[in-house]
Amino acid sequence: MNKKLYVISGSSGVGKGTVLKGFMAKNPDFMLSISCTTRKPREGEIDGVNYFFLTREDFQDCIDNDKFLEWAEFAGNFYGTKKKYIKQCLEEGKNIILEIDTKGALQVKKQMPEAVLIFICPPSYEALENRLRGRHTEDEETIQKRLNEAKTEIERGKQFDYQVVNDNLEIAIENLEKIINGERNNA
Ligand code: 5GP
């Protein structure tokens, strides 16, 4: 069967991770791509599971050697998806989901027009701010940076193939499933 690459973006605090987790729990034949980042691991994050944690030098080396399908700077750190990793997953017939920022998603679409871009939106900007602050994982400076990024991301999200509003978690998961099942049946 023809495997497609699904790319999911949403601004920080939109609950994208929770929607995706709910989707993955119901669809165990899907796997999340593991990205590279220069960000420090958060508590409980494991190298090679949540991310491949790289030094700036190693990340730069991958950029210079054209190893990334896409990469982006986000809130002061670099994030990227390795070409070889994605190629291998698709060749192995895996249903793979990339959870990346909007800039990276649009880069993927340019290189792989068959990729399906799905944007998870907050019900409102205020709802997004509340969620981000309620998480208590970042300091004020980081929150401000992320809120600024969020505005830009919501604008870019308008260019995506699909938008899913995360107001009610169960409905958001259902809508995501409908989109992906529809695309799978069209493959
Ligand atoms: P976090 O630091 O919260 O794990 O992720 C911050 C942002 O980086 C999120 O919007 C996430 O989707 C994005 N991100 C994670 N991995 C990648 C990647 O490989 N490429 C790009 N462009 N963005 C990524």
Side-chain angles (χ1 to χ4, degrees), residues 15-180:
K16 170 191 54 179
T18 318
V19 175
L20 256 181
K21 221 165 143 186
F23 173 85
M24 303 294 284
K26 289 164 85 180
N27 298 275
D29 53 326
F30 276 80
M31 64 165 285
L32 269 183
S33 160
I34 305 169
S35 300
C36 302
T37 184
T38 60
R39 160 167 89 55
K40 297 270 170 295
R42 293 193 187 117
E43 212 181 308
E45 283 184 335
I46 300 166
D47 185 45
V49 176
N50 305 91
Y51 281 105
F52 296 110
F53 294 100
L54 301 185
T55 61
R56 289 237 168 189
E57 292 71 28
D58 287 344
F59 199 98
Q60 188 60 50
D61 200 50
C62 290
I63 297 173
D64 295 343
N65 290 298
D66 198 24
K67 296 261 169 75
F68 288 122
L69 172 64
E70 60 76 35
W71 66 273
E73 189 177 358
F74 183 89
N77 291 299
F78 292 97
Y79 295 85
T81 311
K82 287 266 189 78
K83 279 182 190 170
K84 198 171 154 191
Y85 173 78
I86 297 299
K87 193 169 166 252
Q88 203 172 331
C89 289
L90 291 174
E91 277 171 8
E92 285 169 10
K94 290 178 175 151
N95 290 308
I96 185 157
I97 296 185
L98 260 67
E99 183 195 344
I100 64 177
D101 86 318
T102 48
K103 211 153 100 191
L106 294 172
Q107 283 181 55
V108 172
K109 189 78 177 176
K110 258 192 207 155
Q111 293 201 49
M112 299 175 74
E114 70 280 16
V116 180
L117 267 51
I118 305 165
F119 187 69
I120 316 266
C121 323
S124 69
Y125 183 75
E126 290 69 31
L128 179 71
E129 184 166 4
N130 290 339
R131 272 192 210 167
L132 200 53
R133 291 191 186 281
R135 213 157 65 167
H136 301 301
T137 49
E138 278 99 0
D139 57 27
E140 182 58 28
E141 194 192 333
T142 310
I143 288 174
Q144 285 304 332
K145 257 191 197 169
R146 282 176 183 246
L147 281 174
N148 282 337
E149 284 285 342
K151 276 191 190 149
T152 318
E153 297 210 303
I154 290 169
E155 270 314 299
R156 282 200 208 106
K158 293 177 183 163
Q159 298 174 57
F160 278 43
D161 299 305
Y162 299 96
Q163 278 86 19
V164 172
V165 178
N166 184 21
D167 195 0
N168 172 299
L169 180 63
E170 285 312 311
I171 295 176
I173 295 170
E174 259 174 42
N175 286 338
L176 183 59
E177 278 190 302
K178 274 186 206 154
I179 292 168
I180 292 183

